[in-house]
Amino acid sequence: GMFYWIRSLQTYNEGWSYIDNLKAFVRGGMQDDSFIDAVSGIVNRGCHNPPCGTGPLDGGYERKENFKKVLGVLLEKDGSPRVERPNEYPTYMPSRKPNPSPVVVKESTVVATAADNNGDPPTSHPNDNIVARVNEQEEEEEEEEEEE
């Protein structure tokens, strides 16, 4: 595609010069549809003013709308190049502290049930020991950092 663009489209000068019309399109504020219509004709049918001997332009409307979308992404409403802006959410630097090793939870056993505790909720949860292990790991890491 790029080779075709450079070799055939940019050098097109058969009663219509691509380079001259590109300059005029930019100078005119990039508002005139005749430029994209002509480029579409060259790419799709081999001439700047279809229908040519090869037939009517195919997909011209869609090509024109896509061209306008691209211009809308690249340019501000006044035609100046769009300036990259940060989004509303800042990007934070990652911490140097690595995440704790993942804890694999295997099938657990219920420590207590409401029926075992006279209808009251259980006093412990099967995952309490996992939470305790993670807390211990975090405390150990904090102590190591303090020692450094």
Side-chain angles (χ1 to χ4, degrees):
M2 184 63 76
F3 180 76
Y4 174 80
W5 189 269
I6 294 167
R7 181 97 171 137
S8 300
L9 185 66
Q10 289 184 355
T11 60
Y12 185 89
N13 196 7
E14 297 177 27
W16 188 90
S17 167
Y18 171 82
I19 297 297
D20 292 344
N21 281 280
L22 173 61
K23 290 176 183 177
F25 176 69
V26 172
R27 276 190 225 113
M30 296 180 268
Q31 301 296 318
D32 185 11
D33 287 346
S34 65
F35 177 74
I36 187 58
D37 291 341
V39 170
S40 293
I42 296 167
V43 170
N44 187 251
R45 292 296 174 198
C47 72
H48 67 279
N49 194 16
C52 312
T54 57
L57 182 65
D58 183 41
Y61 174 78
E62 293 83 1
R63 195 173 290 109
K64 185 183 308 186
E65 292 304 307
N66 288 335
F67 182 70
K68 289 177 182 179
K69 284 180 189 177
V70 169
L71 289 180
V73 169
L74 297 176
L75 304 172
E76 297 289 351
K77 290 183 180 183
D78 66 358
S80 64
R82 186 169 301 277
V83 178
E84 186 66 33
R85 292 184 211 91
N87 64 22
E88 60 189 78
Y89 303 106
T91 302
Y92 297 102
M93 293 295 295
S95 68
R96 292 181 178 229
K97 182 179 177 183
N99 292 333
S101 302
V103 178
V104 178
V105 179
K106 295 186 177 178
E107 199 173 311
S108 59
T109 308
V110 175
V111 176
T113 64
D116 295 335
N117 207 17
N118 296 325
D120 293 329
T123 55
S124 64
H125 187 274
N127 290 335
D128 286 347
N129 61 344
I130 295 169
V131 172
R133 277 189 21 218
V134 171
N135 289 338
E136 287 173 12
Q137 284 179 344
E138 289 175 351
E139 288 172 8
E140 288 172 7
E141 289 171 0
E142 288 173 7
E143 288 174 6
E144 288 174 10
E145 286 179 6
E146 289 174 4
E147 290 175 4
E148 294 174 1

